[in-house]
Amino acid sequence: MRESRLWALHLICGAGLLVLLSLHMGLMHYAGILALLGWAREPAMSFSSVVERGRGAAWASMYVLLLGFALYHGLYGLRGVLGEIWGTPRAVRFINTGVVIFGLAVLVYGVAVAVQAARH
């Protein structure tokens, strides 16, 4: 049952990644099309645009969600691969612990960066 829940969360994160990455790709790499439609005023990659996006709470939330989805999705997959390579119960516990610690550390750092960027 626990693995089913983790797998379902993996799939949900994959779907979230698909949505947020599509939004990111559309806004960052198709700015010319958005400008033609009147939705973008300046290039998405200009310094002022990047700073402005970093200050917005909505963008910071999106970055944090994207980071969380990517971390969970990627680390769950890595955990599965490493668990198949070193399948002893002790190794699997070590892998699970390492993946959780690494994921939480990166998530905390990423959230701190997004919050700091939104404050300035």
Side-chain angles (χ1 to χ4, degrees), residues 15-30 62 66:
L17 272 175
L18 182 66
V19 170
L20 292 179
L21 283 177
S22 297
L23 183 64
H24 171 81
M25 290 293 288
L27 293 173
M28 297 297 146
H29 303 288
Y30 297 105
M62 185 179 122
L66 188 58

Side-chain angles (χ1 to χ4, degrees):
M1 186 68 181
R2 179 177 176 259
E3 282 299 318
S4 296
R5 279 191 233 144
L6 294 176
W7 176 251
L9 188 57
H10 178 73
L11 294 177
I12 291 168
C13 287
L17 272 175
L18 182 66
V19 170
L20 292 179
L21 283 177
S22 297
L23 183 64
H24 171 81
M25 290 293 288
L27 293 173
M28 297 297 146
H29 303 288
Y30 297 105
I33 294 172
L34 295 176
L36 287 175
L37 296 172
W39 294 345
R41 284 176 258 166
E42 58 184 276
M45 299 303 286
S46 72
F47 182 74
S48 62
S49 292
V50 172
V51 170
E52 185 179 318
R53 278 195 309 272
R55 289 182 180 155
W59 281 100
S61 301
M62 185 179 122
Y63 292 145
V64 168
L65 277 175
L66 188 58
L67 176 65
F69 288 156
L71 273 174
Y72 185 84
H73 193 78
L75 290 176
Y76 182 83
L78 178 65
R79 174 188 158 256
V81 169
L82 293 178
E84 287 183 13
I85 293 173
W86 296 290
T88 64
R90 184 176 180 180
V92 169
R93 277 194 308 271
F94 179 76
I95 291 166
N96 289 343
T97 303
V99 164
V100 167
I101 290 172
F102 178 76
L104 288 175
V106 172
L107 183 64
V108 166
Y109 180 73
V111 169
V113 168
V115 168
Q116 283 296 323
R119 285 181 162 180
H120 296 293

